[in-house]
Amino acid sequence: MNKLPDYTQKEKIIGYAFKDKDLLERAFVHSSYANEHRIPSYERLEFLGDGVLGLIVAEKLYRSSGDEGVMTVRRSLIVSSEPLEDVTEKSGLGEFIKFGNGEKCHDHSESKVYADVFESVLGAIYLDGGYAEAVRFVDRMLGERICEVMRAGKSENSKGDLQEYCQQKKCGEIRYETVSEGKKDGRPYFTVCVYVGDKRIADGDGYRKKDAEHEAARYALKILKRLK
């Protein structure tokens, strides 16, 4: 049975104690569960959280170096679905989501649902505790990612580095394609290729598609810099 742990467990991960516990609970209610039980889902909170996150990150970037173009690229590297999915999964927040009967049997570990929940929790914190608490949550959960992106050229975020490089050099659009899906050591294993413009630049492997994409991006960046 998909049952939420108690408030203490969630608040410990989030790093904030809610005054309105109903807000906290609603932040984890998927639309499939909401429809079955005729209660509000997290979608309105997600909408609010998306705007709050954009403002927090934009303010941090404004106070750092970089022109508008650089700030735009860096913002996309911070607030895109992938980093939000990763931090939700790694923190354990994804385990608290309430899904409907037909939805909870699916694997959501690499789905946009995890990113949506991050934003819904942020929206709930903003309503319950204000902007300062929302900033603290973002710093707690995404601080490492933000610092990584700020250190241009020094981060280990291969996909982000490739995106920033290609935009600055006008190399063309980046596209990832899954070449193969198989098994290695009894676990799913993926090979992904990355295109820049219409050219296939490099391949990467990994136990998750995300890892394979990062590996492909790392090789592609090396190749493009060598060609330049």
Side-chain angles (χ1 to χ4, degrees), residues 84-99:
L84 304 188
E85 291 163 17
D86 282 345
V87 74
T88 302
E89 179 183 13
K90 290 175 182 176
S91 68
L93 287 177
E95 298 177 10
F96 303 161
I97 305 172
K98 274 190 171 181
F99 293 107

Side-chain angles (χ1 to χ4, degrees), residues 17 39 47 63 67 93 101 121 138-139 141 157 182 208 228:
I39 60 174
F47 175 83
R63 297 182 186 282
D67 59 22
L93 287 177
N101 290 326
V121 170
V138 170
D139 287 340
M141 305 298 282
N157 175 27
R208 301 187 306 171
K228 287 290 182 181

Side-chain angles (χ1 to χ4, degrees), residues 4 10 14 18 21-30 40-43 45-46 96-98 113 116-125:
L4 285 174
K10 287 179 280 189
I14 292 169
F18 278 78
K21 304 299 185 184
D22 289 339
L23 267 178
L24 175 59
E25 182 171 358
R26 191 188 314 158
F28 293 92
V29 177
H30 188 262
S41 73
Y42 60 60
E43 290 177 351
L45 288 174
E46 174 211 336
F96 303 161
I97 305 172
K98 274 190 171 181
V113 170
D116 293 344
V117 167
F118 180 93
E119 292 174 341
S120 68
V121 170
L122 178 59
I125 292 171

Side-chain angles (χ1 to χ4, degrees), residues 82 156-166 174-177 192-196 201-205 209-225:
E82 185 176 317
E156 296 179 1
N157 175 27
S158 302
K159 288 180 68 176
D161 289 344
L162 178 63
Q163 181 177 338
E164 188 165 355
Y165 179 86
C166 288
I174 301 170
R175 176 168 52 92
Y176 296 89
E177 286 189 5
V192 171
C193 67
V194 57
Y195 287 83
V196 177
I201 304 299
D203 294 1
D205 303 301
K209 284 185 182 179
K210 294 176 185 177
D211 297 334
E213 288 174 355
H214 279 289
E215 186 76 353
R218 185 168 67 86
Y219 288 133
L221 187 57
K222 287 183 178 180
I223 291 170
L224 290 175
K225 286 182 176 180

Side-chain angles (χ1 to χ4, degrees), residues 1-3 29-43 97-106 108:
M1 183 177 181
N2 193 352
K3 185 178 180 181
V29 177
H30 188 262
S31 58
S32 59
Y33 187 94
N35 291 336
E36 287 181 6
H37 295 80
R38 297 184 179 182
I39 60 174
S41 73
Y42 60 60
E43 290 177 351
I97 305 172
K98 274 190 171 181
F99 293 107
N101 290 326
E103 188 71 26
K104 62 186 176 184
C105 59
H106 299 148
H108 298 88

Side-chain angles (χ1 to χ4, degrees), residues 54-105:
L55 175 59
I56 291 172
V57 172
E59 182 180 354
K60 288 180 180 295
L61 292 172
Y62 179 81
R63 297 182 186 282
S64 70
S65 60
D67 59 22
E68 182 185 2
V70 171
M71 289 193 295
T72 299
V73 172
R74 290 178 176 174
R75 181 177 59 188
S76 70
L77 299 178
I78 297 168
V79 304
S80 61
S81 290
E82 185 176 317
L84 304 188
E85 291 163 17
D86 282 345
V87 74
T88 302
E89 179 183 13
K90 290 175 182 176
S91 68
L93 287 177
E95 298 177 10
F96 303 161
I97 305 172
K98 274 190 171 181
F99 293 107
N101 290 326
E103 188 71 26
K104 62 186 176 184
C105 59

